[in-house]
């Protein structure tokens, strides 16, 4: 027995076998059923739609046990051929190296918080490749040569662990806005005076499904570029939906992810407040702004969401582009044309210059 097997944590996992031929069953995004590659039989998966969330205060997360579990190798016995299946790191799905049976670690064997819901893939890899080819042609910043001939790419379907947060907020704020007044004297010299506007008040704002990824395979900015997901197909977690796909357990704790979510909520609250004053006073800048926010009715759900990863080499550089596995929305990670970026910047500068010229002409 190898040293890796001797030191591995004994775990339990499940696979699904075809009732007709005994073949390995995996989830088919095309039919939304379990599919047997041997005999093409398909079997229904119970659909239980759920949008329920748990109170954040009730979280009982053993992060120490979670971290130790991630560091250790896990091993479970293949029920088809009897081989030992070693599962590394955050992975909760693995394929038997001998009979290719797809296994999912039992939910009860996952440390810390267990998945609440899963949003299934809505289309297969072939459809993803076709959608990607069409989608990149609509993105202006992508180089023309890339659009004309896509490089060979490797497509992987992964379920990304994420936390979705709800919260009600009550904010008290105070600040000073600055409005500029320009006037021209009799000698033609332009002068600027400043009007200071004191603001203060309260803002109530409720948030739902603020989504923060907790994966080792992507960053939160990558996830934001893929949102939103359609929650109409959010199912109570069922391992049958993730069979045949790479799936991770969460990496960062709920508390850490909620800290990121609160920062995003606070930024949205501030932006909402300043937007209201912008339409009222048409101010030019913010001199100072402070805000104190109370969060209540804080809830969360541990959700697995579908993502396609496209890996390719373009001009000797490796790229990973993500796609929403439910809506087909293309996210970040694609190559950009420096010329097109320059042209956009130039257009913005010229537009600002034009506006300034028109302002002074009008004043005169």
């Amino acid at each position: 027995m190898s040293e890796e097997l001797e030191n591995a944590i004994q775990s339990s996992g499940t696979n699904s076998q075809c009732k007709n031929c005994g073949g390995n069953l995996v989830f088919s995004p095309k039919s939304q059923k379990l599919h047997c590659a041997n005999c093409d039989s398909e079997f229904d998966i119970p659909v239980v739609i759920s949008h329920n969330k748990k109170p954040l205060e009730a979280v009982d997360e053993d992060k120490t046990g979670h971290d130790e579990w991630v560091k250790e190798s896990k091993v479970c016995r293949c029920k088809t051929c009897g081989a030992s299946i070693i599962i590394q790191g955050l992975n909760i799905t693995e394929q038997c190296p001998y009979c290719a049976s797809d296994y999912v670690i039992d939910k009860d064997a996952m440390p810390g918080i267990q998945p609440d819901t899963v949003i299934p893939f809505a289309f297969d890899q072939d459809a993803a490749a076709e959608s990607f080819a069409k989608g990149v042609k609509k993105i202006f910043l992508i180089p023309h040569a890339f659009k004309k001939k896509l490089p060979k790419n490797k497509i992987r379907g992964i379920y990304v662990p994420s936390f979705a947060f709800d919260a009600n907020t009550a904010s008290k704020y105070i600040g000073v806005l600055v409005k500029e007044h320009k006037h021209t004297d009799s000698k033609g010299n332009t002068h600027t005076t400043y009007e200071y506007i004191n603001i203060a008040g309260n803002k109530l704002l409720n948030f739902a499904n603020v989504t923060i990824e907790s994966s080792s395979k992507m960053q939160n900015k990558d996830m934001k570029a893929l949102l939103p997901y359609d929650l109409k197909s959010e199912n109570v977690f069922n391992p049958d939906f993730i069979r045949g796909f790479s799936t991770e357990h969460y990496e960062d704790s709920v508390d850490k992810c909620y800290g990121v979510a609160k920062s995003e909520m606070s930024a949205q609250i501030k932006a909402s407040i300043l937007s209201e004053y912008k339409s009222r006073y048409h101010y030019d800048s913010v001199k100072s702004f402070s805000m104190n926010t109370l969060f209540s009715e804080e809830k969360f759900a541990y959700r697995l969401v579908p993502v396609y990863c496209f890996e390719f080499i373009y001009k000797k550089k490796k790229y990973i582009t993500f796609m929403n596995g439910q809506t087909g929305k293309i996210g970040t990670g694609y190559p950009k044309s420096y010329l097109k970026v320059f042209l956009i910047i130039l257009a913005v500068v010229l537009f600002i210059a034009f506006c300034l010229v028109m302002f002074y002409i009008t004043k005169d």
Side-chain angles (χ1 to χ4, degrees):
M1 181 181 292
S2 68
E3 183 178 348
E4 186 175 27
L5 282 175
E6 289 180 354
N7 297 329
I9 300 173
Q10 293 297 319
S11 189
S12 57
T14 62
N15 70 329
S16 191
Q17 295 177 312
C18 178
K19 298 176 183 177
N20 297 325
C21 71
N24 180 48
L25 295 179
V26 296
F27 175 67
S28 168
K30 193 172 183 179
S31 66
Q32 297 291 296
K33 298 180 181 182
L34 283 175
H35 177 78
C36 176
N38 288 338
C39 66
D40 280 335
S41 296
E42 292 193 323
F43 303 90
D44 291 333
I45 302 175
V47 174
V48 184
I49 303 299
S50 174
H51 309 308
N52 293 333
K53 292 186 175 67
K54 299 172 290 190
L56 197 62
E57 61 185 15
V59 172
D60 183 16
E61 183 180 15
D62 181 8
K63 195 62 174 68
T64 302
H66 172 277
D67 292 343
E68 292 176 353
W69 181 86
V70 171
K71 294 176 183 178
E72 298 289 343
S73 296
K74 280 73 65 180
V75 63
C76 63
R77 186 71 62 182
C78 179
K79 298 174 183 177
T80 302
C81 69
S84 295
I85 303 172
I86 298 176
I87 304 175
Q88 303 280 9
L90 292 164
N91 293 334
I92 59 175
T93 58
E94 192 57 80
Q95 190 176 78
C96 175
Y98 298 98
C99 69
S101 295
D102 287 278
Y103 274 80
V104 178
I105 288 182
D106 287 339
K107 186 177 179 180
D108 292 340
M110 300 178 197
I113 298 168
Q114 300 167 345
D116 296 304
T117 61
V118 56
I119 296 177
F121 277 92
F123 48 90
D124 60 21
Q125 286 192 6
D126 291 338
E130 183 178 348
S131 179
F132 182 75
K134 292 180 180 178
V136 294
K137 293 179 181 180
K138 299 177 182 179
I139 301 175
F140 175 75
L141 288 178
I142 293 180
H144 178 71
F146 181 89
K147 297 179 181 180
K148 189 174 181 180
K149 186 178 180 180
L150 294 181
K152 292 183 179 179
N153 55 71
K154 177 182 178 183
I155 307 175
R156 292 183 298 119
I158 63 173
Y159 279 101
V160 174
S162 65
F163 293 108
F165 298 99
D166 293 353
N168 296 342
T169 67
S171 302
K172 188 174 183 178
Y173 64 89
I174 187 171
V176 178
L177 308 177
V178 181
K179 187 173 182 178
E180 298 178 4
H181 298 280
K182 298 182 183 294
H183 59 277
T184 304
D185 60 24
S186 58
K187 296 181 179 181
N189 298 318
T190 301
H191 301 275
T192 303
T193 58
Y194 300 94
E195 176 186 359
Y196 296 96
I197 305 168
N198 295 312
I199 62 172
N202 299 288
K203 180 70 174 180
L204 300 177
L205 203 58
N206 298 336
F207 293 87
N209 290 302
V210 178
T211 302
I212 306 297
E213 61 79 29
S214 184
S215 168
S216 67
K217 291 183 169 62
M218 66 191 308
Q219 298 178 6
N220 204 49
K221 64 179 180 64
D222 300 319
M223 174 60 74
K224 293 303 175 188
L226 300 181
L227 298 177
Y229 281 88
D230 185 354
L231 301 183
K232 292 179 181 178
S233 61
E234 182 181 20
N235 284 266
V236 169
F237 175 75
N238 184 328
D240 286 343
F241 285 114
I242 65 174
R243 296 193 189 283
F245 290 89
S246 175
T247 309
E248 285 188 328
H249 202 23
Y250 67 95
E251 181 177 45
D252 295 322
S253 68
V254 177
D255 285 344
K256 183 175 181 179
C257 289
Y258 187 50
V260 177
K262 289 173 74 172
S263 295
E264 290 188 3
M265 292 184 222
S266 295
Q268 290 185 44
I269 296 168
K270 179 180 178 181
S272 178
I273 293 170
L274 293 178
S275 177
E276 293 176 4
Y277 283 106
K278 188 73 172 180
S279 60
R280 189 186 311 175
Y281 295 113
H282 304 287
Y283 65 88
D284 295 288
S285 61
V286 179
K287 182 180 181 181
S288 64
F289 186 89
S290 61
M291 179 177 73
N292 182 40
T293 301
L294 296 177
F295 294 83
S296 61
E297 298 296 319
E298 300 160 295
K299 298 179 181 180
F300 83 101
Y302 175 13
R303 179 186 294 155
L304 300 177
V305 298
V307 174
Y308 278 113
C309 297
F310 294 80
E311 297 183 26
F312 53 88
I313 303 294
Y314 180 68
K315 292 187 176 182
K316 299 181 180 181
K317 183 178 179 180
K318 182 179 179 180
Y319 291 88
I320 299 178
T321 303
F322 298 101
M323 173 188 283
N324 185 314
Q326 183 198 45
T327 67
K329 182 180 180 182
I330 297 175
T332 57
Y334 49 77
K336 297 178 179 64
S337 167
Y338 293 112
L339 176 60
K340 291 180 178 179
V341 172
F342 171 76
L343 290 175
I344 290 176
I345 295 174
L346 180 61
V348 172
V349 172
L350 290 175
F351 176 75
I352 294 174
F354 173 78
C355 291
L356 290 174
V357 170
M358 292 303 295
F359 173 79
Y360 288 119
I361 291 175
T362 303
K363 279 289 185 180
D364 292 341

